[in-house]
Amino acid sequence: MTTAAFLSLLQGAGVTLVLSGAGIALGVPLGLLLGLIRWGRVPVLSPIVMVYVSLLRSTPAVTLCLLIFFAIPTMGIDIGPWTASVLTLGLNTAAFNCEIWRSGLNNFSPDQLEAARSFGMTPALRFRRIIFPQLWRACLPGLVNEMTLLIKSSPAIAVVGVVEITRAATRIGAQTYDPLPPMLVATGIYIVLIVVFVGLQRLTERLYGQAGAAA
Amino acid sequence: MVEHVGSTNPECVLDIRGLTKSFGTNVVLDGVSLTVERGKTVCLLGPSGSGKSTLLRCVNFLEKPDQGSIYLSGRRIGMREGGVIPMSTSELAQARARIGMVFQHFNLWPHLTVLQNLIEAPIHVQRRSRDEVVAEAEMLLERVGLTDKKDVFPNRLSGGQKQRVGIARALAMKPELLLFDEPTSALDPELVGEVVAVMKTLAEGGSTMLVVTHEMGFARETANEVVLMDGGRVVEKGQPSEFFTNPKTDRARQFLQRYVSA
Amino acid sequence: MTRDFGVVWEHADRLVEGLLNTIILTLVGASLALLIGSLVAILLMSSSRPVRLISQGIVDLMRCIPFLMLAYLAYYGLPSLGLNLDNWTAGLFAIVVYNTAYMAEIMRSIWIGLGRESIEAATAFGFRGPRLYTRIIFPQIFLAASPMIGNQLIQIIKDTAFLTIIAVPELTHAASSIQSQYFVPFAAFIAAVLIYWALCMLVEAGVFVVERLAEVRR
């Protein structure tokens, strides 16, 4: 394998990381919003979120990506492969993150909220000052675990032509008629990425205790 | 030392000679010798940590003794004849199948019903015919008073019922010897009686039993012999009538003061 | 829009064929993975430290590789080693290899939590070797692991969709082909998504039933 080929694999790794990062940036806050809706049993919205979570958790990332990439333009909205990819990863991970946030919220002791309420804190203030600072610590290990799973499902976006790691590897293989070396190097890149994330997860677990949710 | 081949007494079901066992530097058994004759019940008494349970577990090689020998109806257990070569796992498994064991924590198989617990080993270890084994198992369940529980899973039973299943399961193997490892220690006090009653009928019915227990009433009324262990040694043995009323050693007197008057 | 779903409905046979492939790949793949995973779990629980470390290392490594990467390795990579598999077989091969690691890890995690008592009793009653595993240990593991095995089954169903990339005619591939022929992307992929949903709910219902069975056998 040539240096150029290796560099294009690294470029693919860059694409994987940027799009995964964008998906996480979308999915983690969205998941929190969905989790709060479920936790607060918001009328009308809460059952909708429940269906959304159930549906998204059973939808393969590949199928979701194809759906978004091909169906949204028919509604007259222009969407490129990159946007479709970020939406796919973000919407998918949001469903799983919703469950992590929700379980963290459910584990929250009612006494504390009671106390906060008795001090006259508004709901927004209660959330910002009392709940969230504790919640994110409890949920972080679960969230990082979900990020690892997101990276592992990220090759799905290759289906709409994004040249991430796996697609870069098949490209090189097609050019050189020797697919095994680029595939092995690509596998090695994934292993490094995942090991870093698993290490990160262990670190957060040590810092903030057990994962708040079953992942 | 001359290796005895078998036992001189044909009535001797279990013959333990000079058993030693250490865990690290901790000597748990220190040259224990003991015999149990056919149809007799021997109770092993002693404070906790005296090595009783370890001795029992050595008999069927759940623990491997360091030295000494064990004979079951004249045949060496754990070692091949000659006492140098250890038994293969299949020989050991066959030997174990001749000994029934009743555990302190019942150790029933939770994924099997009561009846399935009884027939599991006779069918799959002893390779006996299913029909015969089932018929016998149903009789055994009747004997321990659990016929109506035969299709129930163990976690739906009380402790006393579990232990009666445990006893019936051991009997289903038609063992030459029954080992009881503190069979009533994990039971609520009000459930001890039903298990002791079953053990009594077994003893009176001619089963050969070695029982580790803290139930002094059982030992006194049912045992043919009691053996007091302390610090990994046999301190005193004798007829229960002798032992409980007129112990010979100070150690036995201390033990009885603590356990019987309490 | 209704017209689009009408088009998809006219070609429902293709979706059904894709679904059947998805189901067969999932069931055959999961069964083989469970079987081989059980053997690997025995290695993970070995009393020999080197065996334990090596097998755990391989299992952990396998779990760091994305499924599509493994499918590519099977489809494009194995021919370099002189092993030519058609796309269907390569897909199945990838499912089995990938999930063997997960199944083994699931079983190990249950195994270490399994009480020593029932295994000790089995030993005392003369069980050993394969029969100890098939009669006493694994039945208990499978019962306790059913929720985790169910989750993995759902994961496998979703992973089969990756195989459209190496042209395995599974459900997403069928939806894709209908959409590219008649240009009905929304209807075609929503139909696929709903079928996946139903399939996963079926698995969850199955887990629910097995869990009721397991509850009385604990």
Side-chain angles (χ1 to χ4, degrees), chain C residues 64-77:
Chain C
C64 287
I65 304 172
F67 173 70
L68 180 63
M69 203 66 243
L70 212 62
Y72 274 157
L73 281 170
Y75 188 58
Y76 295 113

Side-chain angles (χ1 to χ4, degrees), chain A residues 51 54-55 57-60 62-63 66-67 70-71 74 96 152-153 155-156 166 170 179-180 183 186-187 190-191 194, chain C residues 61 63-66 68-69 72-73 76-77 80-81 98 102 158 161-162 164 172 179 185-186 189 193 196-197 200:
Chain A
V51 171
S54 168
L55 191 63
R57 293 217 299 177
S58 356
T59 303
V62 174
T63 322
L66 287 168
L67 174 67
F70 287 108
T74 63
F96 290 91
K152 284 182 66 181
S153 67
T166 60
T170 46
L180 195 55
M183 303 251 158
T187 305
Y190 275 115
I191 290 173
I194 306 282
Chain C
L61 199 68
R63 297 194 306 147
C64 287
I65 304 172
L68 180 63
M69 203 66 243
Y72 274 157
L73 281 170
Y76 295 113
S80 307
L81 305 173
Y98 184 73
Y102 283 87
K158 289 162 60 179
F162 275 112
T164 183
T172 297
Q179 108 78 19
F186 187 78
F189 289 121
V193 164
Y196 280 116
W197 196 20
C200 292

Side-chain angles (χ1 to χ4, degrees), chain B residues 54-68:
Chain B
T54 307
L55 177 66
L56 214 61
R57 294 164 59 79
C58 280
V59 171
N60 60 7
F61 263 66
L62 284 179
E63 303 285 356
K64 194 180 169 304
D66 299 335
Q67 269 172 32

Side-chain angles (χ1 to χ4, degrees), chain C residues 101-165:
Chain C
Y102 283 87
M103 294 294 190
E105 185 59 27
I106 286 172
M107 280 184 271
R108 187 192 70 90
S109 72
I110 299 288
W111 197 335
I112 46 178
L114 212 62
R116 274 178 47 84
E117 287 93 356
S118 71
I119 299 172
E120 177 165 84
T123 312
F125 277 70
F127 279 99
R128 64 181 190 89
R131 223 170 292 132
L132 177 62
Y133 293 117
T134 58
R135 302 291 316 174
I136 305 292
I137 299 181
F138 279 114
Q140 293 187 64
I141 294 180
F142 286 148
L143 279 174
S146 63
M148 293 162 93
I149 293 174
N151 275 343
Q152 198 56 33
L153 214 55
I154 289 175
Q155 194 58 50
I156 298 175
I157 291 172
K158 289 162 60 179
D159 280 343
T160 55
F162 275 112
L163 298 178
T164 183
I165 299 177

Side-chain angles (χ1 to χ4, degrees), chain B residues 7-168:
Chain B
S7 172
T8 47
N9 180 356
E11 282 302 295
C12 209
V13 174
L14 179 66
D15 187 354
I16 300 171
R17 294 177 191 170
L19 216 60
T20 65
K21 171 76 185 171
S22 306
F23 293 111
T25 55
N26 181 19
V27 181
V28 185
L29 295 177
D30 190 5
V32 175
S33 296
L34 188 76
T35 58
V36 183
E37 287 181 11
R38 188 170 313 284
K40 298 287 181 342
T41 295
V42 174
C43 278
L44 269 177
L45 309 178
S48 49
S50 58
K52 307 166 304 222
S53 283
T54 307
L55 177 66
L56 214 61
R57 294 164 59 79
C58 280
V59 171
N60 60 7
F61 263 66
L62 284 179
E63 303 285 356
K64 194 180 169 304
D66 299 335
Q67 269 172 32
S69 48
I70 301 161
Y71 294 88
L72 185 66
S73 306
R75 278 150 72 189
R76 182 86 190 257
I77 295 239
M79 295 285 170
R80 289 188 181 160
E81 223 57 68
V84 187
I85 306 160
M87 278 182 163
S88 70
T89 50
S90 83
E91 289 169 320
L92 198 55
Q94 277 171 25
R96 282 174 175 145
R98 295 161 57 207
I99 304 171
M101 184 145 184
V102 176
F103 298 84
Q104 180 178 357
H105 296 288
F106 328 123
N107 298 21
L108 298 180
W109 296 308
H111 62 299
L112 302 176
T113 64
V114 166
L115 183 70
Q116 286 168 342
N117 260 279
L118 264 63
I119 63 177
E120 179 71 11
I123 290 177
H124 294 283
V125 175
Q126 294 178 328
R127 297 277 175 192
R128 283 154 58 191
S129 95
R130 190 186 174 86
D131 293 345
E132 173 204 326
V133 171
V134 168
E136 265 176 34
E138 281 171 347
M139 251 161 56
L140 286 169
L141 284 177
E142 203 182 317
R143 244 169 100 182
V144 298
L146 289 172
T147 302
D148 55 326
K149 302 285 183 199
K150 84 177 179 161
D151 295 320
V152 166
F153 287 94
N155 78 343
R156 294 291 151 94
L157 300 177
S158 72
Q161 291 171 330
K162 281 182 190 164
Q163 196 57 296
R164 278 142 67 198
V165 174
I167 294 171

